[in-house]
Amino acid sequence: MDLQGIGAITSAAVALVGIPAAVLVGRWNARAIREQADAALTAAQDQARTNHEQWRRQLRRDAYADFLRAAGEVIRIDIHNRQRSFSTDDIDRSLDTLRSALDVIMLEGPDELAILAARVHNSLRSLANYAINQAPYEQAQRILHTAMADESPEQVADPSSPLNRARTAQAALEELSNAASWYGADEEPFENSRRRAHDILCASGLFTPDQREALLYRISGRALLLAAMTQGEEDNEANPHVIAWRRWQHFISGEYVDLEPVVWRDWQRFVSAANAVLDGRPIPDD
């Protein structure tokens, strides 16, 4: 065999050996590329999961903060503060905001926290409803307090001044209170005092109809109950004092005081649970 033939055979042999080697190298390269792609995909998925968890945590945090902010607005309602303007419309708006914040928590969860948020909402709504019921009386008392606080010479000298009109109204209410303490709800002296007080409150021009009625019911109702208690008949449903008290007791209910600790307890439970959710901890039991 000549040298040319030997060279051809050698080249063919080298080519045959190089084919599987190239295939093997190609497979290694493909596997490396696939592993790199899988690693990149896993890293991307992990990052996406982390980003989603952070986004979801921030979303929940904002929802919880909005709810607490809305709840705080309702809690700050101080119906008995006669130095501050009071509006039932403001309470209604605060309750609407609180309800909207609760709806977001209902969507974002978790369910255990949504239940606690609903408790806060319900107890605050009860507190606010009491405040709304008490509003006419507290508004009327604030009007009296404001008018009687100005004892300037001009106010004292003018019979039609707010000061003197408020003094006249206050005197009529005190007379009604005394009459209620001495007479039954259906007795003529009490009815005369109540009618006289009503007319004076109307003539004063200081109060709305709701405020007038709240003053009359609150003043007479309290005095009637005290009269019944003095006679030891506060449990006697036939006593006219007690009948009047039952009719008017919602104006001087102690519910407001009873509700305050309930609101505070529910508030604390929600805050504790919200912190646990945001920290990734189990919600503590009640």
PDB file of all heavy atoms in Angstrom, residues 43-59:
ATOM      1  N   ALA A  43     -33.809  30.152  40.171  1.00  0.00           N
ATOM      2  CA  ALA A  43     -33.483  31.419  40.825  1.00  0.00           C
ATOM      3  C   ALA A  43     -34.548  32.472  40.518  1.00  0.00           C
ATOM      4  O   ALA A  43     -34.958  33.241  41.406  1.00  0.00           O
ATOM      5  CB  ALA A  43     -32.112  31.906  40.367  1.00  0.00           C
ATOM      6  N   ALA A  44     -34.993  32.490  39.259  1.00  0.00           N
ATOM      7  CA  ALA A  44     -36.029  33.452  38.876  1.00  0.00           C
ATOM      8  C   ALA A  44     -37.332  33.173  39.607  1.00  0.00           C
ATOM      9  O   ALA A  44     -38.022  34.099  40.066  1.00  0.00           O
ATOM     10  CB  ALA A  44     -36.240  33.419  37.370  1.00  0.00           C
ATOM     11  N   GLN A  45     -37.675  31.863  39.735  1.00  0.00           N
ATOM     12  CA  GLN A  45     -38.894  31.494  40.448  1.00  0.00           C
ATOM     13  C   GLN A  45     -38.800  31.858  41.930  1.00  0.00           C
ATOM     14  O   GLN A  45     -39.753  32.359  42.524  1.00  0.00           O
ATOM     15  CB  GLN A  45     -39.160  29.999  40.272  1.00  0.00           C
ATOM     16  CG  GLN A  45     -39.586  29.611  38.857  1.00  0.00           C
ATOM     17  CD  GLN A  45     -39.703  28.110  38.683  1.00  0.00           C
ATOM     18  OE1 GLN A  45     -39.085  27.336  39.425  1.00  0.00           O
ATOM     19  NE2 GLN A  45     -40.491  27.693  37.694  1.00  0.00           N
ATOM     20  N   ASP A  46     -37.615  31.578  42.505  1.00  0.00           N
ATOM     21  CA  ASP A  46     -37.412  31.934  43.917  1.00  0.00           C
ATOM     22  C   ASP A  46     -37.528  33.445  44.124  1.00  0.00           C
ATOM     23  O   ASP A  46     -38.140  33.908  45.092  1.00  0.00           O
ATOM     24  CB  ASP A  46     -36.050  31.446  44.404  1.00  0.00           C
ATOM     25  CG  ASP A  46     -35.972  29.927  44.504  1.00  0.00           C
ATOM     26  OD1 ASP A  46     -37.046  29.288  44.527  1.00  0.00           O
ATOM     27  OD2 ASP A  46     -34.853  29.391  44.565  1.00  0.00           O
ATOM     28  N   GLN A  47     -36.922  34.205  43.219  1.00  0.00           N
ATOM     29  CA  GLN A  47     -36.987  35.659  43.325  1.00  0.00           C
ATOM     30  C   GLN A  47     -38.415  36.158  43.150  1.00  0.00           C
ATOM     31  O   GLN A  47     -38.870  37.059  43.867  1.00  0.00           O
ATOM     32  CB  GLN A  47     -36.072  36.299  42.283  1.00  0.00           C
ATOM     33  CG  GLN A  47     -35.972  37.822  42.394  1.00  0.00           C
ATOM     34  CD  GLN A  47     -35.385  38.257  43.709  1.00  0.00           C
ATOM     35  OE1 GLN A  47     -34.402  37.686  44.172  1.00  0.00           O
ATOM     36  NE2 GLN A  47     -36.011  39.255  44.345  1.00  0.00           N
ATOM     37  N   ALA A  48     -39.106  35.544  42.176  1.00  0.00           N
ATOM     38  CA  ALA A  48     -40.498  35.932  41.951  1.00  0.00           C
ATOM     39  C   ALA A  48     -41.354  35.614  43.176  1.00  0.00           C
ATOM     40  O   ALA A  48     -42.216  36.402  43.569  1.00  0.00           O
ATOM     41  CB  ALA A  48     -41.050  35.217  40.718  1.00  0.00           C
ATOM     42  N   ARG A  49     -41.081  34.428  43.776  1.00  0.00           N
ATOM     43  CA  ARG A  49     -41.820  34.039  44.978  1.00  0.00           C
ATOM     44  C   ARG A  49     -41.520  35.006  46.127  1.00  0.00           C
ATOM     45  O   ARG A  49     -42.427  35.431  46.859  1.00  0.00           O
ATOM     46  CB  ARG A  49     -41.458  32.610  45.376  1.00  0.00           C
ATOM     47  CG  ARG A  49     -42.339  32.034  46.484  1.00  0.00           C
ATOM     48  CD  ARG A  49     -41.948  30.606  46.821  1.00  0.00           C
ATOM     49  NE  ARG A  49     -42.045  29.732  45.654  1.00  0.00           N
ATOM     50  CZ  ARG A  49     -41.011  29.226  45.002  1.00  0.00           C
ATOM     51  NH1 ARG A  49     -39.771  29.498  45.400  1.00  0.00           N
ATOM     52  NH2 ARG A  49     -41.184  28.436  43.949  1.00  0.00           N
ATOM     53  N   THR A  50     -40.245  35.355  46.271  1.00  0.00           N
ATOM     54  CA  THR A  50     -39.858  36.304  47.321  1.00  0.00           C
ATOM     55  C   THR A  50     -40.501  37.663  47.087  1.00  0.00           C
ATOM     56  O   THR A  50     -41.035  38.280  48.023  1.00  0.00           O
ATOM     57  CB  THR A  50     -38.330  36.452  47.366  1.00  0.00           C
ATOM     58  OG1 THR A  50     -37.736  35.188  47.663  1.00  0.00           O
ATOM     59  CG2 THR A  50     -37.920  37.465  48.428  1.00  0.00           C
ATOM     60  N   ASN A  51     -40.460  38.114  45.837  1.00  0.00           N
ATOM     61  CA  ASN A  51     -41.079  39.406  45.505  1.00  0.00           C
ATOM     62  C   ASN A  51     -42.577  39.380  45.780  1.00  0.00           C
ATOM     63  O   ASN A  51     -43.143  40.355  46.289  1.00  0.00           O
ATOM     64  CB  ASN A  51     -40.822  39.756  44.038  1.00  0.00           C
ATOM     65  CG  ASN A  51     -39.363  40.078  43.768  1.00  0.00           C
ATOM     66  OD1 ASN A  51     -38.594  40.351  44.688  1.00  0.00           O
ATOM     67  ND2 ASN A  51     -38.964  40.032  42.502  1.00  0.00           N
ATOM     68  N   HIS A  52     -43.220  38.257  45.430  1.00  0.00           N
ATOM     69  CA  HIS A  52     -44.672  38.137  45.659  1.00  0.00           C
ATOM     70  C   HIS A  52     -44.981  38.140  47.153  1.00  0.00           C
ATOM     71  O   HIS A  52     -45.942  38.797  47.588  1.00  0.00           O
ATOM     72  CB  HIS A  52     -45.190  36.855  45.022  1.00  0.00           C
ATOM     73  CG  HIS A  52     -46.660  36.630  45.255  1.00  0.00           C
ATOM     74  ND1 HIS A  52     -47.625  37.325  44.569  1.00  0.00           N
ATOM     75  CD2 HIS A  52     -47.313  35.799  46.124  1.00  0.00           C
ATOM     76  CE1 HIS A  52     -48.812  36.937  44.986  1.00  0.00           C
ATOM     77  NE2 HIS A  52     -48.653  36.022  45.928  1.00  0.00           N
ATOM     78  N   GLU A  53     -44.165  37.417  47.922  1.00  0.00           N
ATOM     79  CA  GLU A  53     -44.393  37.377  49.361  1.00  0.00           C
ATOM     80  C   GLU A  53     -44.202  38.751  49.980  1.00  0.00           C
ATOM     81  O   GLU A  53     -44.972  39.158  50.862  1.00  0.00           O
ATOM     82  CB  GLU A  53     -43.451  36.359  50.010  1.00  0.00           C
ATOM     83  CG  GLU A  53     -43.796  34.906  49.680  1.00  0.00           C
ATOM     84  CD  GLU A  53     -42.762  33.927  50.208  1.00  0.00           C
ATOM     85  OE1 GLU A  53     -41.724  34.403  50.737  1.00  0.00           O
ATOM     86  OE2 GLU A  53     -42.988  32.707  50.104  1.00  0.00           O
ATOM     87  N   GLN A  54     -43.166  39.461  49.515  1.00  0.00           N
ATOM     88  CA  GLN A  54     -42.953  40.805  50.020  1.00  0.00           C
ATOM     89  C   GLN A  54     -44.093  41.738  49.625  1.00  0.00           C
ATOM     90  O   GLN A  54     -44.551  42.559  50.432  1.00  0.00           O
ATOM     91  CB  GLN A  54     -41.614  41.357  49.499  1.00  0.00           C
ATOM     92  CG  GLN A  54     -40.393  40.661  50.080  1.00  0.00           C
ATOM     93  CD  GLN A  54     -39.099  41.159  49.468  1.00  0.00           C
ATOM     94  OE1 GLN A  54     -39.100  41.824  48.429  1.00  0.00           O
ATOM     95  NE2 GLN A  54     -37.976  40.828  50.110  1.00  0.00           N
ATOM     96  N   TRP A  55     -44.548  41.601  48.379  1.00  0.00           N
ATOM     97  CA  TRP A  55     -45.678  42.416  47.909  1.00  0.00           C
ATOM     98  C   TRP A  55     -46.937  42.108  48.712  1.00  0.00           C
ATOM     99  O   TRP A  55     -47.650  43.012  49.139  1.00  0.00           O
ATOM    100  CB  TRP A  55     -45.904  42.137  46.432  1.00  0.00           C
ATOM    101  CG  TRP A  55     -47.176  42.748  45.890  1.00  0.00           C
ATOM    102  CD1 TRP A  55     -47.382  44.045  45.554  1.00  0.00           C
ATOM    103  CD2 TRP A  55     -48.407  42.055  45.655  1.00  0.00           C
ATOM    104  NE1 TRP A  55     -48.674  44.225  45.108  1.00  0.00           N
ATOM    105  CE2 TRP A  55     -49.325  43.021  45.163  1.00  0.00           C
ATOM    106  CE3 TRP A  55     -48.825  40.738  45.804  1.00  0.00           C
ATOM    107  CZ2 TRP A  55     -50.630  42.689  44.826  1.00  0.00           C
ATOM    108  CZ3 TRP A  55     -50.131  40.412  45.462  1.00  0.00           C
ATOM    109  CH2 TRP A  55     -51.015  41.388  44.988  1.00  0.00           C
ATOM    110  N   ARG A  56     -47.162  40.806  48.947  1.00  0.00           N
ATOM    111  CA  ARG A  56     -48.352  40.408  49.703  1.00  0.00           C
ATOM    112  C   ARG A  56     -48.257  40.885  51.155  1.00  0.00           C
ATOM    113  O   ARG A  56     -49.255  41.349  51.731  1.00  0.00           O
ATOM    114  CB  ARG A  56     -48.492  38.874  49.670  1.00  0.00           C
ATOM    115  CG  ARG A  56     -49.794  38.364  50.288  1.00  0.00           C
ATOM    116  CD  ARG A  56     -50.979  38.780  49.434  1.00  0.00           C
ATOM    117  NE  ARG A  56     -52.240  38.392  50.018  1.00  0.00           N
ATOM    118  CZ  ARG A  56     -52.790  37.179  49.871  1.00  0.00           C
ATOM    119  NH1 ARG A  56     -52.168  36.263  49.136  1.00  0.00           N
ATOM    120  NH2 ARG A  56     -53.945  36.908  50.420  1.00  0.00           N
ATOM    121  N   ARG A  57     -47.078  40.800  51.741  1.00  0.00           N
ATOM    122  CA  ARG A  57     -46.888  41.270  53.112  1.00  0.00           C
ATOM    123  C   ARG A  57     -47.142  42.766  53.193  1.00  0.00           C
ATOM    124  O   ARG A  57     -47.797  43.244  54.128  1.00  0.00           O
ATOM    125  CB  ARG A  57     -45.474  40.944  53.591  1.00  0.00           C
ATOM    126  CG  ARG A  57     -45.210  41.346  55.042  1.00  0.00           C
ATOM    127  CD  ARG A  57     -43.781  41.022  55.452  1.00  0.00           C
ATOM    128  NE  ARG A  57     -43.566  41.312  56.854  1.00  0.00           N
ATOM    129  CZ  ARG A  57     -43.298  42.520  57.329  1.00  0.00           C
ATOM    130  NH1 ARG A  57     -43.211  43.551  56.499  1.00  0.00           N
ATOM    131  NH2 ARG A  57     -43.117  42.705  58.631  1.00  0.00           N
ATOM    132  N   GLN A  58     -46.626  43.518  52.215  1.00  0.00           N
ATOM    133  CA  GLN A  58     -46.839  44.963  52.211  1.00  0.00           C
ATOM    134  C   GLN A  58     -48.313  45.295  52.017  1.00  0.00           C
ATOM    135  O   GLN A  58     -48.842  46.228  52.644  1.00  0.00           O
ATOM    136  CB  GLN A  58     -46.003  45.619  51.113  1.00  0.00           C
ATOM    137  CG  GLN A  58     -46.059  47.145  51.107  1.00  0.00           C
ATOM    138  CD  GLN A  58     -45.501  47.747  52.382  1.00  0.00           C
ATOM    139  OE1 GLN A  58     -44.482  47.291  52.890  1.00  0.00           O
ATOM    140  NE2 GLN A  58     -46.199  48.749  52.918  1.00  0.00           N
ATOM    141  N   LEU A  59     -48.967  44.515  51.153  1.00  0.00           N
ATOM    142  CA  LEU A  59     -50.393  44.729  50.916  1.00  0.00           C
ATOM    143  C   LEU A  59     -51.180  44.510  52.202  1.00  0.00           C
ATOM    144  O   LEU A  59     -52.059  45.305  52.560  1.00  0.00           O
ATOM    145  CB  LEU A  59     -50.880  43.772  49.821  1.00  0.00           C
ATOM    146  CG  LEU A  59     -52.202  44.102  49.134  1.00  0.00           C
ATOM    147  CD1 LEU A  59     -52.095  45.420  48.377  1.00  0.00           C
ATOM    148  CD2 LEU A  59     -52.603  42.983  48.185  1.00  0.00           C
TER     149      LEU A  59
END
